[in-house]
Structures are given as structure tokens and as C-alpha cells.
Amino acid sequence: MGAIELKLESLGIELPQASSPAAKYANYVIVNGLLFMSGKGPGSHAKGKLGQEYTTEEGYQFAREVGLEVLAVLKDALGTLDKVKRVVKVQGFVNTVPLFEEHHKVLNGFSDLMFEIFEDKGSHARSVFGAVSVRDNLPIIVDSIFEVEEI
């Protein structure tokens, strides 16, 4: 068990089983040491909009769930999370009502988890957008890019 997996265990964090793609695409692609992760939603498969069915705080938890899902796929892809050199870029698509303004607070659930697990290597560039509609009416979908050791 790698150092990151031991850290997860010490924090009482159990990763879900890595999800499979929902259609004809790859879960991830590695090019020149960068792992591009396909968009992931929360493991609970909640449905609905922030500002309507869900609060910002609930959205934060959904984004954290997405982070756990991403970590599970990373571990499945790399064999160990210790091969993650850095979280590079995070892009969130938050399913919201038109007047919702706290997208950044929702995506913090994902970002905070990356900092918690990878510390300085968890520091990343990011952007977040409100969406009028996302796949399966999920409350949030996150795309992410990681620098990884070649496998």
C-alpha cells in the first residue's frame, strides 16, 4: 500500500469502486505524462439543480464525492496514487438555476479534497461554470488533468 493510500486510510476515507465510462469513450487518456480524466459525477448519482433541489453545502459534498470517484479511477489507472505528481487542472460544470452564484463554493468540495490528500501537489488551476443541463441531470460534473509518472 502506497503512502497516499495509507493517508486515505488514516483519514478514514474509503474509495468507491472505479466507475466505467457511460458511453463509447475512455475513462482516461495518458499523453506525455498527463492523465486526462473524463468528466465524473458524484457516486451517489443524485439528480437535480443547485439552487433548486440542493443547497451550496450539499453541492460541496457532491463535489467531494466526485473527488473520491476521480481518486478511485486514478488508483485503478496507475495502480497507486503515489504515481500522481500533481493535480494540474480542474474544471467543474455545476447544474444550477440561472440565478445561482456560488459555483466556486461548490467546486471547493473537490479542490479541498485534492489539497487534503496531495498537499502541495494538490494545488491546481481551475475553472467552474454554471450549466443549464448536464448528463443524467447530475448536480455537478468535473473534468480533471493530472501529471503522473509514466506507467
Side-chain angles (χ1 to χ4, degrees), residues 20-106:
S20 298
K24 291 187 178 185
Y25 59 86
N27 233 0
Y28 60 89
V29 173
I30 300 174
V31 177
N32 297 326
L34 293 176
L35 185 147
F36 296 81
M37 180 86 55
S38 291
K40 295 293 174 192
S44 63
H45 298 291
K47 294 180 182 282
K49 292 186 176 292
L50 278 287
Q52 186 169 300
E53 285 87 7
Y54 301 112
T55 65
T56 299
E57 294 74 23
E58 289 170 311
Y60 177 97
Q61 290 304 318
F62 291 137
R64 187 173 174 89
E65 280 183 39
V66 175
L68 295 173
E69 175 66 26
V70 165
L71 292 173
V73 173
L74 279 170
K75 184 176 179 192
D76 188 58
L78 304 171
T80 176
L81 293 173
D82 288 338
K83 290 187 178 181
V84 174
K85 291 182 174 181
R86 177 169 195 144
V87 183
V88 176
K89 172 75 174 178
V90 172
Q91 189 167 281
F93 300 89
V94 184
N95 188 6
T96 69
V97 296
L99 296 178
F100 189 80
E101 295 182 352
E102 297 186 320
H103 309 79
H104 60 292
K105 292 179 181 179
V106 170

